[in-house]
Amino acid sequence: MNTVAFAFTGVSIAIVSGSLFAPFYKYKLVRIVLTIFRSIHEIFWAFIFLPVFGLNSVTGIFAIAVPYSAIFAKRFYEIYQSTDLRACNELPRNSSPVLRFLFGALPLLYEEMREFSSYRVECAIRSSAVLGFIGLPTLGFHLESFFNEGKYSQAFAILLLFYVIIGTKKYWLRRKLVPVYFLTSIIFVWGNTHVVWANIVRFFTYDIIPWPMRRDGFINNTKQILWRPSETIDWFFTLLRGEVLPGARDTLILTQITFLLSGVFAILFIGLIVRKINKPLSRKFNRILLLVLRSTPEYIIAYIAIQLWGPSMVPGIVALVLHNSAVVTILTIRNADSLVLPLDVAKGKINCFFFHILPQIYSSFLGNLFYRWEVMVRESSILGVLGIYTLGFYIDSAISDDRMDKVIFLIMFMSIINIVIDSVSNKVRSVLLE
Amino acid sequence: MTVRYLIFIIAVIFLSVLFIRFKQDESRGAGEKKIQFTAIPDQDESRLTERFSQIALYLSKETGVEFVYIPVKSYAASVAAFKNGEVQLAWFGGLSGVRARRAVAGARAIAQGEEDKQFVTYFIANYRTGLTYSQQLSKELEGRTFTFGSKGSTSGRLMPEYYLRKIFNRTPGKIFKRVGYSGNHSKTIALVQSGSYEIGAVNYRVWEKELKEGKIDLTKVSVIWKTPEYTDYNWTIRPDVTEDFGTDFIDIVQNALLSLENRDILDTFPRKSFIKADNSMYDAILETGLAIGIFDE
Amino acid sequence: MSSTLSHLNLKNFTFSYPQAENPVLTNINLTFKDGESVALIGPSGAGKSTLLNHLKRKTPQSSMIHQEYLLVPQLSVFHNIFMGRLDKNRTIYNLINLIYPLRKERANVQRTARLLDMDKFIDVQCRKLSGGEQQRVAVSRALYRDSSLCFADEPVSAMDPENGEKTISLLTTGRTTIASMHNTELALKYFDRIVALKNGGIHFDLKPLDVDAGELKELYSE
């Protein structure tokens, strides 16, 4: 219940603030800030908010709302850009811009915005479930507890419940019911909010200041902050050498292995579910399997894999590859199914697949794979929390040492990597789609 | 039509369930002030809940103030909760206690288990390694796989890492082929027993308790070394409880803990009894933490 | 061979697409002889393509030139022509040629491509070719398949007259060919038999010499 409530409240806040930011998305500064927000995974946001708000609903909601606001702002802006708005020019010139927007533009944009929001609710439910792993009271919390104690049947039941919630989304997510859900979610999480202003202030003005600047004040207990440039630079470089670079290296290795294998597996999966060369029954079966893989957060797959094999790169790779290749397959399969093949095409599935189908979908397939690239980086670093030595591992260690200065520094660095990868993948995709 | 009807019904059920829960929350919140306390999640959650719901009842009865146990998922979260004042009292390990008291000026360690004065860590090994118990930590450890408990644990991380560095003169990452953090002591035992890791470092109280309960198969995993003794677990309390519950409240809680004689409760920890503790008893832990770089200095 | 062709005999054949109201073809009676070249003519919508597709489905071994070519635009001319014989080789052999065309196969394909002057384009991606060139690749693929029975749906629609004639003369010699033809002039010149379709039925079925201008005019009139 908490899972859905967090997701709903988070998304609702994100829609509102996303819409507020969307008109300003064309300004560079806003864009940069929002890109940074977007590039930090929900779990890391939760890590940041945890010491600020404590273990309560606010942490969960904000961890979802902040990155999602940035996502909504970007997407709404894109929708606005790509919609033909000539109709609203017909409105009276002297009416206020707000009114013109509400009566002119909104109805045109509404359908697409609604569709995207509904899709994001599903994503938010997944994120919210994963937040349970770090201690918020969502499905992931119970899943982890049951797994830890070897109660596999209960763990499986929780997983099943999760699939039911996601799978039946189109039956319960109705327009008329949205206000009902929204209100109940708010009421539901309200009882569990408790924010101490002093903690927030302390976090932003003290905890995240680099240690060398806090050191003297800490030792003589005055909590004074002193300006120590050379020591602070030393501190940065020690961090960079000791944690950031090895973490970044492992993150990128994991990402690249995942990237390649996801490609290979996605091709295999496409071959198994493309309409032209598979029997309807086996196609259906494989398709359901893929949908399950797609809707299971990779964090949960990785968690289960690590329970089985212990923490190393392998379970991380398995989790990321399974999830991402399923996503790429499902994104690409529509193209593959719409192909028209000649009637004198040779018998034999493999021939047909490699000669007729694959070459024709290859560029859209690569486009989708590159689209997931940035997601893979973000997820690779997240898996560090589970004990694989990626950036997330060092962030988790810093959290566990209560060194928020380090946490912020590492997260910032990770965000830069994500932004770089994101822009590279956008470039590659625009070339591919030409 | 039927689908719509179904949705309506489900929505009504959803709503009513929420309202019932909400009502409960409210009635609880409207009551008198209460003490919330937490504990480091060093073992399986169901055991922690069992242990701490019993002691919550005991403390509520003894002090006349309601005590509520708040479970958390990580050592870091327990420290953060203490630091933020979400909980006023906590059962910490040596390391997390030091960390919490460093973060909250005036916080005091008030009690520890009798065994916590001379706490040790066991190094355990899977049977396939062929390692057996010895007085010295065997050099054959090198190049194997090794797991600590939680990153923030005293007996599962701080002390074993300290002794590993002292004996091998290298960081654990350089001694072993692979170093992991299982998360808690029960998990460490399970991982080494199953062979996922060849060696592990575990809290001796947890080991002995699981041994007594028959959860450990000695043909698969055994103790190969014991660390020297150190001071571990403690009850730590925030100074600001005196504002809400009176100036002598810390003493009341301390006395209640020290006079705890109920064997059932003590066995869940498992400790013979609780004895007086103070902050200086954990200075050695602080030193060790500084030595291996867990604390900033 | 006659067994393949007897497969193609149609008796009172009626065909309609699922969910369509009226049948596309009604009461068609046709038989084909070995080695014969048959041109299907008639206004668009008469059912020529439907008839060809139906006949093709009955004979998996035959080759087919589609109206829309149905080439794989991302692959080279070599690969697209090579596809004509995929079922003659082992799968693994095909895949090797997909990644690295072997010299022997290149030579074979080159020989077929030369017939329509496509040998100079052999390494060019198909999507970079003009419509007429693409159609020549589609014809080459069918020729390379080397089947004794070939179906062609408007095989020269996008070609210049010279290549068009060359293509038709290649298609109508040495095999049984059934082709729908927009260009009646070429049809009358090269084919053994002309079958005219109109409104889903056979309008006439004659030797080219017996077809007169009046009948053609009537065929294409509303």
Side-chain angles (χ1 to χ4, degrees):
Chain A
M1 221 38 129
N2 261 317
T3 311
V4 181
F6 284 1
F8 237 90
T9 327
V11 169
S12 310
I13 295 174
I15 289 176
V16 174
S17 63
S19 327
L20 288 179
F21 281 120
F24 305 104
Y25 199 76
K26 53 176 176 266
Y27 301 113
K28 201 154 195 176
L29 185 70
V30 177
R31 199 159 54 222
I32 290 171
V33 171
L34 289 181
T35 311
I36 293 173
F37 279 12
R38 207 156 44 88
S39 69
I40 299 173
H41 194 278
E42 294 89 81
I43 288 199
F44 289 137
W45 278 115
F47 272 151
I48 295 179
F49 290 135
L50 210 55
V52 183
F53 300 125
L55 258 185
N56 61 47
S57 314
V58 185
T59 305
I61 292 164
F62 274 23
I64 291 173
V66 172
Y68 278 51
S69 299
I71 292 169
F72 275 114
K74 174 168 186 266
R75 185 75 191 119
F76 285 171
Y77 177 72
E78 284 168 2
I79 292 174
Y80 184 79
Q81 289 276 299
S82 63
T83 309
D84 182 10
L85 290 172
R86 269 171 301 184
C88 38
N89 294 341
E90 301 300 312
L91 291 171
R93 285 269 148 206
N94 53 1
S95 48
S96 83
V98 175
L99 272 180
R100 280 173 56 185
F101 179 78
L102 286 180
F103 284 91
L106 195 61
L108 292 171
L109 307 174
Y110 176 72
E111 199 49 36
E112 252 186 288
M113 281 166 66
R114 194 184 58 91
E115 221 168 79
F116 184 72
S117 307
S118 144
Y119 162 68
R120 275 290 149 186
V121 168
E122 186 188 325
C123 300
I125 293 175
R126 273 197 294 245
S127 312
S128 163
V130 167
L131 289 180
F133 280 82
I134 63 165
L136 292 163
T138 62
L139 285 182
F141 184 90
H142 304 293
L143 193 64
E144 206 218 350
S145 306
F146 287 136
F147 251 108
N148 249 336
E149 295 174 33
K151 296 178 179 161
Y152 297 110
S153 55
Q154 277 101 323
F156 186 68
I158 296 272
L159 209 55
L160 220 55
L161 177 65
F162 172 75
Y163 291 132
V164 168
I165 292 177
I166 296 240
T168 57
K169 190 190 83 174
K170 68 173 172 207
Y171 299 108
W172 56 263
L173 191 59
R174 296 291 168 105
R175 195 179 332 177
K176 283 188 192 137
L177 289 174
V178 166
V180 179
Y181 292 136
F182 179 69
L183 282 178
T184 43
S185 298
I186 292 273
I187 292 170
F188 188 67
V189 295
W190 200 257
N192 192 14
T193 47
H194 153 85
V195 175
V196 180
W197 185 244
N199 288 333
I200 301 173
V201 174
R202 191 202 59 215
F203 179 81
F204 284 105
T205 59
Y206 187 73
D207 282 355
I208 64 171
I209 308 289
W211 170 250
M213 294 160 70
R214 281 186 295 148
R215 188 171 161 227
D216 295 349
F218 184 83
I219 288 171
N220 58 32
N221 220 353
T222 52
K223 308 261 156 171
Q224 215 173 3
I225 292 166
L226 300 165
W227 182 235
R228 292 251 185 282
S230 71
E231 287 169 40
T232 306
I233 287 170
D234 271 357
W235 178 85
F236 275 129
F237 276 104
T238 321
L239 251 181
L240 202 65
R241 255 202 323 276
E243 308 196 347
V244 172
L245 294 182
R249 189 195 60 211
D250 280 9
T251 306
L252 290 178
I253 290 175
L254 181 59
T255 308
Q256 286 322 99
I257 295 176
T258 306
F259 184 73
L260 282 178
L261 288 181
S262 294
V264 173
F265 271 82
I267 288 177
L268 185 77
F269 286 153
I270 294 171
L272 286 176
I273 68 164
V274 65
R275 184 175 292 139
K276 300 293 182 319
I277 55 171
N278 286 295
K279 293 198 188 74
L281 198 69
S282 66
R283 208 184 113 231
K284 272 259 165 56
F285 178 77
N286 291 331
R287 207 182 161 87
I288 289 171
L289 202 73
L290 282 182
L291 284 173
V292 167
L293 280 180
R294 191 200 63 151
S295 40
T296 318
E298 48 286 75
Y299 194 83
I300 292 182
I301 307 181
Y303 180 80
I304 295 171
I306 283 176
Q307 301 309 301
L308 298 175
W309 302 315
S312 67
M313 281 260 184
V314 180
I317 292 170
V318 168
L320 289 177
V321 168
L322 282 179
H323 180 78
N324 284 302
S325 56
V327 174
V328 172
T329 305
I330 285 168
L331 288 174
T332 317
I333 199 68
R334 242 171 278 149
N335 280 321
D337 277 342
S338 62
L339 289 178
V340 182
L341 301 181
L343 283 171
D344 64 346
V345 60
K347 288 272 174 303
K349 289 177 182 185
I350 299 177
N351 279 332
C352 174
F353 181 67
F354 281 101
F355 277 88
H356 287 283
I357 299 175
L358 188 59
Q360 305 206 41
I361 57 167
Y362 199 63
S363 65
S364 75
F365 157 76
L366 276 187
N368 291 327
L369 192 59
F370 271 102
Y371 154 70
R372 291 304 288 184
W373 194 26
E374 180 244 357
V375 184
M376 286 177 206
V377 185
R378 225 167 345 147
E379 286 162 355
S380 305
S381 46
I382 275 298
L383 293 186
V385 178
L386 292 172
I388 301 162
Y389 283 76
T390 59
L391 274 176
F393 177 83
Y394 297 99
I395 294 176
D396 184 55
S397 298
I399 300 252
S400 118
D401 293 351
D402 197 23
R403 288 169 168 159
M404 295 318 291
D405 44 355
K406 222 161 122 178
V407 171
I408 296 289
F409 180 66
L410 287 167
I411 286 182
M412 276 310 188
F413 191 84
M414 195 189 60
S415 150
I416 293 169
I417 297 185
N418 288 339
I419 291 169
V420 170
I421 295 261
D422 191 27
S423 63
V424 172
S425 100
N426 278 336
K427 285 257 162 57
V428 173
R429 284 204 298 150
S430 66
V431 170
L432 276 174
L433 293 177
E434 256 179 20
Chain B
M1 203 55 219
T2 48
V3 174
R4 215 175 264 186
Y5 187 64
L6 205 73
I7 292 169
F8 178 72
I9 297 283
I10 292 169
V12 168
I13 295 170
F14 183 80
L15 264 175
S16 45
V17 168
L18 286 180
F19 266 100
I20 292 163
R21 277 210 51 175
F22 180 53
K23 276 276 161 57
Q24 279 179 348
D25 283 350
E26 207 173 37
S27 61
R28 211 168 51 195
E32 305 167 36
K33 288 205 162 170
K34 60 193 180 210
I35 288 274
Q36 294 189 316
F37 72 99
T38 191
I40 47 169
D42 58 345
Q43 283 184 71
D44 289 350
E45 197 173 294
S46 52
R47 287 150 175 258
L48 295 179
T49 314
E50 176 202 345
R51 175 201 292 177
F52 290 106
S53 51
Q54 286 187 41
I55 197 132
L57 272 178
Y58 169 81
L59 286 172
S60 306
K61 212 168 73 204
E62 291 289 307
T63 61
V65 176
E66 193 190 354
F67 278 70
V68 181
Y69 167 61
I70 312 281
V72 293
K73 266 269 177 275
S74 68
Y75 283 54
S78 67
V79 176
F82 189 82
K83 188 174 165 187
N84 284 349
E86 282 174 275
V87 298
Q88 293 80 39
L89 175 72
W91 171 244
F92 283 127
L95 177 58
S96 41
V98 170
R99 190 167 273 150
R101 290 190 294 273
R102 257 161 80 95
V104 179
R108 278 178 54 195
I110 53 172
Q112 61 177 199
E114 208 182 310
E115 292 87 339
D116 293 315
K117 269 193 303 186
Q118 301 109 16
F119 217 81
V120 293
T121 293
Y122 286 173
F123 277 62
I124 56 173
N126 188 275
Y127 70 102
R128 282 197 218 101
T129 60
L131 296 170
T132 50
Y133 183 77
S134 75
Q135 294 292 324
Q136 242 94 54
L137 197 54
S138 163
K139 293 280 172 202
E140 283 174 53
L141 255 56
E142 288 174 58
R144 298 186 184 271
T145 58
F146 177 86
T147 183
F148 287 114
S150 163
K151 284 173 187 168
S153 163
T154 312
S155 52
R157 156 86 192 278
L158 180 76
M159 284 304 168
E161 175 160 352
Y162 175 72
Y163 285 110
L164 281 170
R165 281 168 185 253
K166 204 167 145 188
I167 293 166
F168 290 92
N169 225 346
R170 271 175 292 166
T171 61
K174 296 252 163 64
I175 304 169
F176 299 105
K177 193 168 83 190
R178 197 170 84 211
V179 175
Y181 295 88
S182 70
N184 66 48
H185 301 295
S186 313
K187 209 64 186 300
T188 305
I189 298 174
L191 286 173
V192 177
Q193 180 158 319
S194 73
S196 297
Y197 283 97
E198 297 178 278
I199 320 244
V202 65
N203 174 321
Y204 90 106
R205 295 308 299 166
V206 176
W207 170 270
E208 311 249 299
K209 185 153 199 279
E210 298 215 346
L211 194 63
K212 211 188 283 172
E213 288 166 3
K215 291 199 171 161
I216 297 173
D217 182 352
L218 283 176
T219 60
K220 292 211 166 118
V221 55
S222 59
V223 176
I224 56 165
W225 189 61
K226 293 174 182 168
T227 61
E229 290 169 356
Y230 54 88
T231 318
D232 203 345
Y233 289 79
N234 55 85
W235 285 100
T236 294
I237 195 159
R238 282 179 68 95
D240 53 10
V241 287
T242 51
E243 292 163 22
D244 287 334
F245 303 101
T247 44
D248 57 346
F249 188 72
I250 294 179
D251 296 332
I252 294 176
V253 176
Q254 189 176 32
N255 286 332
L257 286 169
L258 298 185
S259 59
L260 175 61
E261 275 167 359
N262 185 329
R263 275 259 59 86
D264 291 342
I265 300 180
L266 284 168
D267 280 345
T268 59
F269 273 86
R271 300 287 186 271
K272 283 202 208 100
S273 68
F274 287 120
I275 57 172
K276 230 178 185 156
D278 61 66
N279 294 4
S280 65
M281 287 174 157
Y282 299 88
D283 286 348
I285 300 271
L286 177 61
E287 308 273 301
T288 315
L290 289 172
I292 70 170
I294 288 184
F295 291 121
D296 292 312
E297 58 181 311
Chain C
M1 197 63 246
S2 58
S3 66
T4 320
L5 287 190
S6 67
H7 247 94
L8 294 181
N9 291 349
L10 297 175
K11 205 163 182 197
N12 288 331
F13 174 67
T14 301
F15 182 88
S16 43
Y17 286 106
Q19 285 156 356
E21 251 176 60
N22 299 314
V24 190
L25 296 168
T26 35
N27 291 323
I28 303 282
N29 289 296
L30 274 177
T31 54
F32 300 98
K33 273 187 283 186
D34 219 357
E36 189 178 39
S37 61
V38 182
L40 301 175
I41 62 170
S44 24
K48 292 172 301 205
S49 297
T50 310
L51 182 59
L52 279 172
N53 285 338
H54 174 75
L55 292 171
K56 163 67 195 162
R57 284 206 177 84
K58 295 170 104 181
T59 49
Q61 289 303 316
S62 63
S63 57
M64 171 100 189
I65 302 160
H66 285 269
Q67 201 170 359
E68 312 85 2
Y69 324 145
L70 298 185
L71 301 173
V72 179
Q74 291 84 353
L75 289 181
S76 71
V77 170
F78 165 80
H79 287 116
N80 272 287
I81 298 179
F82 179 74
M83 269 178 225
R85 275 195 205 166
L86 285 181
D87 50 352
K88 307 273 196 315
N89 304 321
R90 301 190 38 186
T91 305
I92 187 78
Y93 184 74
N94 289 333
L95 292 183
I96 291 172
N97 276 290
L98 178 64
I99 296 160
Y100 182 79
L102 298 177
R103 197 173 301 154
K104 180 180 141 212
E105 293 300 327
R106 267 184 75 90
N108 287 343
V109 167
Q110 193 104 28
R111 211 172 306 129
T112 306
R114 196 166 299 137
L115 296 174
L116 286 170
D117 288 334
M118 288 305 290
D119 49 335
K120 54 182 181 286
F121 295 122
I122 196 122
D123 291 321
V124 179
Q125 269 193 335
C126 274
R127 63 168 175 193
K128 294 191 178 135
L129 299 176
S130 72
E133 287 162 347
Q134 292 196 14
Q135 194 162 39
R136 273 144 73 194
V137 176
V139 173
S140 302
R141 180 171 71 188
L143 291 174
Y144 187 69
R145 190 163 170 74
D146 202 22
S147 157
S148 57
L149 176 60
C150 175
F151 296 99
D153 199 350
E154 300 290 354
V156 296
S157 58
M159 290 188 205
D160 55 88
E162 194 194 337
N163 277 310
E165 248 184 281
K166 212 193 270 177
T167 300
I168 294 300
S169 79
L170 280 168
L171 285 176
T172 50
T173 46
R175 58 178 64 75
T176 312
T177 301
I178 303 169
S180 69
M181 292 293 292
H182 190 67
N183 185 332
T184 41
E185 211 178 302
L186 274 179
L188 293 173
K189 188 166 166 196
Y190 285 96
F191 284 80
D192 302 333
R193 182 176 158 198
I194 307 291
V195 174
L197 291 177
K198 192 175 183 183
N199 300 331
I202 292 179
H203 193 66
F204 62 73
D205 183 350
L206 296 165
K207 294 242 176 300
L209 290 175
D210 301 335
V211 178
D212 65 44
E215 266 171 310
L216 280 178
K217 204 172 169 194
E218 197 197 319
L219 176 67
Y220 286 103
S221 67
E222 278 304 306

